Amino acid sequence: PVILYSKRYWSGLLKWMKDVLVPENAISPGDLDLLSVSDDPEEIVDRLEQHLVWKAEQIRKSGVEPHYPELLRRYKPKNRRR
């Protein structure tokens, strides 16, 4: 995942991408959906953990030996409460 920290910091670039790059067909509108922006560090960690769990499951289903099997065996996401 591509997660950008600080909406204020990245807002100008994202607006430029939407207003300039999309109309010029340099990127598709869906490309912007690949980016997420957050001001909350815990939310970012949660998203990364969700991705790791998803990726580990995809690797297990594929039957391919992962490059980092010990991490996948040990990994248990933290149960955070806000």
Side-chain angles (χ1 to χ4, degrees), residues 41-81:
E42 283 194 26
E43 178 185 358
I44 292 170
V45 171
D46 289 345
R47 287 183 190 181
L48 292 171
E49 286 179 338
Q50 289 170 8
H51 180 75
L52 182 58
V53 169
W54 173 84
K55 187 67 173 179
E57 186 59 31
Q58 297 304 308
I59 290 170
R60 286 186 191 103
K61 286 179 181 178
S62 74
V64 173
E65 184 63 29
H67 298 289
Y68 42 92
E70 186 58 31
L71 174 64
L72 295 180
R73 275 195 292 278
R74 291 183 302 158
Y75 189 76
K76 292 184 176 96
K78 295 175 185 165
N79 196 2
R80 294 185 220 276
R81 297 282 179 210

Side-chain angles (χ1 to χ4, degrees), residues 14 17-19 21-35:
L14 296 172
M17 291 171 74
K18 181 181 176 187
D19 294 347
L21 296 182
V22 172
E24 291 182 5
N25 293 317
I27 63 172
S28 70
D31 290 343
L32 295 174
D33 295 335
L34 299 173
L35 304 172

